[in-house]
Amino acid sequence: MIVALAGGVGGAKLAHGLALAATGSGSGAQPRVIVNTADDFEHHGLRISPDLDTVLYTLAGLANAETGWGLAGDTFTTLDMLARYGVETWFQLGDRDFATHLLRTQRLRAGWTLTQVTAAFTRALGVEADLLPMCDEPIATMVETPDGALDFQDYFVRRRQTDDVRGVQFTGIEQAHIPEGVRAACAAADLIVFCPSNPIVSIGPILAVPGMRALLQQVAAPRIAVSPIVGGRALKGPADRMLAGLGHAVSATGVARLYQGLIDGMVIDQVDAELAASIEALGMRVLVTDTMMRNERDRQRLAREVMAFGAPGIS
């Protein structure tokens, strides 16, 4: 069984590839995906979970292929009406997407945990993989900029990632607990995959949950990371600018250093082949391949290569 750590579009794509590879192999062992929830926030009185929903919609085959987030073919008449009332609509929520947030908020207020809500959503949408929130407590990513601290969605969506990043904090992380489902998944894993997600604000919050690093260090399963930086740039999002602003090398080697002590191997793109030696010097094995996921075929191919590299017995 494979456990994946994921957040954002890149993480959702590889998680989908792992699910497709499991289906194609006939093993029936669908991945368990631990998802970042530090991007979650309140908006229009609703609890929004951007990364959980991106992974959910992608695994369900419902994601908007052009944006990577939201639902394919969604409409925005509710948002249009809110704009007529003078409400700011900088965060795009489609009409069908609203249903997810309405139901999540209703169930959380009724006493459900985020883990329980997410499990119900996956079953309802026919997703066989398990989606596991990194914790059930509300966490908020705060981005420190020259203009002061910004809520992550203000930085990421409203201000379009234009601010220099001087620091990142996860408010409330000290009170977070690892859910039992996450512990059980890690204990039973044959392979743990760090998806090509932003190492600072997607994978970083997962690793910041108290006890998570120790849990991952203690597992018997191989741990493999896929670099989200290709040719010195992030394929999507602000990971490259965040790494630079925080003093890290904007390269696959820079990402490997952030994960040093947590992973056994690193998967990098073929354009970064010359970095293999510097990553191996950190004590990691390296696989050089095409890490671009342009379509479902690429997602499944990369997933199979990661599985064969990390744990040949399950590929």
Side-chain angles (χ1 to χ4, degrees), residues 17-245:
L18 292 168
L20 291 171
T23 300
S25 69
S27 67
Q30 285 289 314
R32 298 179 184 177
V33 188
I34 303 171
V35 185
N36 167 46
T37 60
D39 291 4
D40 294 12
F41 72 122
E42 298 283 338
H43 196 55
H44 302 312
L46 303 175
R47 189 66 180 171
I48 315 295
S49 295
D51 280 3
L52 274 174
D53 293 341
T54 295
V55 177
L56 173 67
Y57 295 156
T58 301
L59 290 174
L62 299 174
N64 183 327
E66 294 183 5
T67 62
W69 51 266
L71 288 157
D74 213 347
T75 54
F76 295 86
T77 54
T78 301
L79 215 60
D80 292 341
M81 194 64 186
L82 285 172
R84 289 190 63 181
Y85 284 126
V87 175
E88 290 189 37
T89 56
W90 54 271
F91 194 86
Q92 295 291 294
L93 296 173
D95 296 323
R96 288 189 293 147
D97 196 20
F98 261 109
T100 301
H101 311 313
L102 284 166
L103 191 54
R104 175 186 294 114
T105 304
Q106 179 188 68
R107 288 178 170 174
L108 289 174
R109 289 175 180 168
W112 292 40
T113 66
L114 185 58
T115 296
Q116 292 170 332
V117 173
T118 304
F121 285 172
T122 59
R123 290 193 299 271
L125 295 185
V127 174
E128 296 183 8
D130 288 332
L131 266 60
L132 305 172
M134 69 183 203
C135 64
D136 287 315
E137 297 82 3
I139 310 298
T141 296
M142 301 298 296
V143 181
E144 298 173 10
T145 75
D147 288 341
L150 300 174
D151 290 331
F152 180 75
Q153 298 302 336
D154 281 345
Y155 158 79
F156 187 72
V157 181
R158 190 201 293 260
R159 296 168 70 112
R160 301 178 183 273
Q161 311 140 49
T162 56
D163 299 88
D164 291 334
V165 177
R166 294 180 174 176
V168 174
Q169 301 293 329
F170 307 123
T171 303
I173 198 69
E174 297 84 2
Q175 286 73 48
H177 297 84
I178 301 174
E180 286 306 313
V182 171
R183 288 189 183 277
C186 291
D190 297 303
L191 173 66
I192 294 180
V193 177
F194 289 51
C195 289
S197 304
N198 187 316
I200 305 296
V201 293
S202 291
I203 303 298
I206 300 174
L207 300 178
V209 175
M212 188 70 76
R213 283 180 172 269
L215 177 64
L216 292 171
Q217 288 170 335
Q218 293 165 4
V219 298
R223 300 154 300 177
I224 304 298
V226 181
S227 176
I229 302 296
V230 175
R233 298 181 61 185
L235 296 178
K236 192 174 182 66
D240 45 5
R241 284 161 283 160
M242 283 190 156
L243 287 167

